[in-house]
Amino acid sequence: MPRRRLPLVLIAAVLAATGCGGGTADDPDTISVAYHRYGNSTQVDALMQRVKQQYEQANPGKHVSLDPVVAPEGEYLSKLQLRMRSAKTAPDVLYEDSFTVNSDVAAGYLAPLDERLADWADWDHFIDTTKQAGRATDGRTYGIPLDTDTRGIWFNRDLFTRAGLPADWAPDGWDDVLAAARQVKQRFPDVIGLDLPLGKAEGEAVTMQTVLMLLHGTETGSLHDGRWIAPNAGFTEAMRFLSTAVGEGLTQSRAQIADAQYDKKLRDDLTRQGKVAMRLDGSFASGQWESAGWRDWAETMSAAPMPTRDGGGTVSTSGGWTLAMSASGGKQDDAFEFLTIALSRDNITEYALSSGNLPSREDSAADPRLTAANPLAGFWLGLLEGTHYRPTLPEYPKISEEIQQSVLDVAGGADPEQVSQRWTEQVRRIAGPDETRGG
């Protein structure tokens, strides 16, 4: 798709809104690097500061202009895409969410990396599964994974044993998950039996961490297999599960679901206080607890794989962030060298240790410091085998928004079948009837 040209007035507005003034586009010796920085999440900033120093020491006369975008994650992605529309404001290197790779490729924002990766020996050290994160539907790679994650069920071992459940609990089907939540609620009525992303403020996590973790465990098993699957029997089954869990009061309350701050701090506070029995969540949760000062979480928390609906198998989903290069950048050799330094074994290992995320490289994953810092690192890494990635097609962000609205409707008491039917209509409207099929 050709790059759309913006009117000069709008470009000026973009420059003002994003804080880009003179920029580095005309400086042949300086590359710009844009990334996300918000709240207490400063690990990416620390990584970029370190890599800037390493790059400039290795390349005398060359410079890096760091460009942290301070905004919530959704706003970061919007601001980044505004910048990418003009060669004057596009960064040379960008921190790119894997689920926006295809839409940014379709818009002509990202440079393919395949020829450069073929000559970079370190590429062989990246975990094969994680390489999918930066690969677009045209088969080319546009982003190199910085980290990855997996998802499963965190559970409070102490609450479980006091409620009569095994400390090495391993559910075999959705019924086991609901039964455990009911047993804990019966013993401890003020405890959340099963916490999972459900609120509007949780955005993409509702799709990826809640609905896809259920949908992938059904017979349908997918949102997209060449065409979007709508109507989707697995989607309806996921809505039924959520309707049951919320309707029986097994999840966080409807007031907590509606609370925009619940996801920011309260969920972790309640977990630390022993008020949450299970969390359908990511491997990164322990990193958040560490950052909040809960150093001895491993004395209380355990984890189990999310089972398929009828048991006999397990499910996980993965995402992660990549580093990519702008298609319009005139200093791509310098930009790629920055990438290779940023994604060295040592830098990825240090980033994984500080963030709690899983490393994207095999040699980093084998570093004994990782398992020493997180006793469950091996468990979460093991879920990478057979994990699912989102269908990050250009239509996906809009379809994901419709999934999130469906969950809100079900959590509000709407009939799961009717919600699923409405979602089907929206998918067919977004993708077009020729790009959908029933399943």
Side-chain angles (χ1 to χ4, degrees):
M1 179 180 294
R3 183 183 301 280
R4 295 183 294 275
R5 303 188 67 177
L6 294 180
L8 291 176
V9 172
L10 183 52
I11 290 175
V14 170
L15 290 172
T18 58
C20 290
T24 60
D26 297 328
D27 182 347
D29 295 321
T30 302
I31 59 172
S32 60
V33 179
Y35 57 95
H36 183 224
R37 187 180 70 193
Y38 186 65
N40 294 326
S41 300
T42 59
Q43 294 92 348
V44 177
D45 187 50
L47 170 67
M48 295 304 175
Q49 296 282 355
R50 183 167 64 251
V51 178
K52 168 183 165 66
Q53 186 176 38
Q54 293 169 346
Y55 173 90
E56 291 178 346
Q57 285 180 346
N59 299 276
K62 300 282 188 179
H63 305 283
V64 176
S65 174
L66 296 181
D67 186 13
V69 179
V70 182
E73 188 173 306
E75 291 182 26
Y76 166 71
L77 297 173
S78 299
K79 290 184 175 184
L80 190 61
Q81 289 179 339
L82 277 174
R83 295 183 184 193
M84 298 297 288
R85 293 183 181 182
S86 167
K88 286 290 186 183
T89 56
D92 295 292
V93 173
L94 58 148
Y95 178 62
E96 172 90 355
D97 194 333
S98 57
F99 98 93
T100 61
V101 167
N102 272 302
S103 57
D104 284 350
V105 168
Y109 296 156
L110 303 183
L113 302 172
D114 303 84
E115 292 183 6
R116 296 177 185 276
L117 292 173
D119 293 330
W120 186 40
D122 279 27
W123 187 230
D124 292 337
H125 293 296
F126 282 73
I127 299 169
D128 283 341
T129 307
T130 70
K131 292 180 178 179
Q132 296 179 39
R135 190 175 298 139
T137 54
D138 65 2
R140 306 181 78 177
T141 296
Y142 293 83
I144 307 175
L146 170 63
D147 60 5
T148 189
D149 49 40
T150 52
R151 284 160 180 77
I153 303 176
W154 288 96
F155 66 94
N156 185 307
R157 197 169 50 247
D158 178 55
L159 281 175
F160 263 51
T161 53
R162 290 163 60 198
L165 291 161
D168 59 350
W169 179 71
D172 188 32
W174 293 0
D175 285 347
D176 283 359
V177 176
L178 292 173
R182 292 178 184 122
Q183 190 163 334
V184 172
K185 286 292 288 185
Q186 186 174 27
R187 175 71 173 81
F188 305 106
D190 62 337
V191 165
I192 295 171
L194 174 62
D195 182 288
L196 64 176
L198 297 170
K200 182 177 180 60
E202 303 197 63
E204 175 63 15
V206 174
T207 300
M208 184 176 183
Q209 210 149 292
T210 297
V211 176
L212 293 186
M213 285 292 288
L214 293 165
L215 174 56
H216 287 308
T218 67
E219 185 173 345
T220 308
S222 180
L223 273 181
H224 186 277
D225 65 352
R227 286 190 291 172
W228 294 98
I229 304 175
N232 189 313
F235 183 83
T236 305
E237 290 165 4
M239 294 301 107
R240 289 194 194 111
F241 176 92
L242 296 176
S243 178
T244 299
V246 177
E248 291 188 20
L250 302 178
T251 67
Q252 61 267 45
S253 69
R254 288 193 168 100
Q256 288 168 327
I257 292 171
D259 184 351
Q261 299 303 310
Y262 180 77
D263 166 44
K264 304 293 185 297
K265 188 171 186 295
L266 187 54
R267 171 177 284 135
D268 283 339
D269 287 348
L270 291 173
T271 303
R272 184 173 185 173
Q273 294 163 13
K275 298 295 185 183
V276 178
M278 288 181 280
R279 281 176 57 164
L280 184 55
D281 211 327
S283 51
F284 42 78
S286 59
Q288 298 168 3
W289 301 332
E290 292 268 357
S291 297
W294 188 16
R295 309 290 183 196
D296 59 351
W297 58 266
E299 295 181 8
T300 306
M301 302 301 293
S302 291
M306 177 67 185
T308 56
R309 185 194 64 181
D310 298 324
T314 63
V315 172
S316 189
T317 59
S318 295
W321 290 73
T322 71
L323 294 184
M325 298 189 336
S326 168
S328 62
K331 293 162 278 189
Q332 294 191 350
D333 288 344
D334 292 344
F336 188 73
E337 181 168 0
F338 183 91
L339 293 187
T340 61
I341 294 173
L343 299 164
S344 68
R345 174 185 176 178
D346 285 345
N347 280 330
I348 284 185
T349 302
E350 288 293 334
Y351 180 72
L353 288 168
S354 66
S355 68
N357 293 349
L358 301 179
S360 54
R361 293 180 58 132
E362 292 173 339
D363 45 8
S364 295
D367 193 304
R369 290 177 295 169
L370 199 66
T371 50
N374 181 351
L376 290 178
F379 165 80
W380 293 109
L381 282 165
L383 296 183
L384 279 173
E385 185 176 354
T387 192
H388 298 269
Y389 283 84
R390 292 163 287 182
T392 56
L393 300 166
E395 302 86 7
Y396 175 78
K398 289 183 179 178
I399 290 174
S400 176
E401 288 176 5
E402 295 299 332
I403 292 174
Q404 294 158 36
Q405 183 59 53
S406 298
V407 171
L408 279 177
D409 292 343
V410 167
D415 177 74
E417 274 72 18
Q418 291 181 4
V419 168
S420 184
Q421 177 59 37
R422 177 196 164 278
W423 175 78
T424 295
E425 294 167 0
Q426 294 304 314
V427 173
R428 291 173 66 84
R429 176 184 62 79
I430 293 168
D434 292 343
E435 295 299 322
T436 62
R437 72 167 183 87

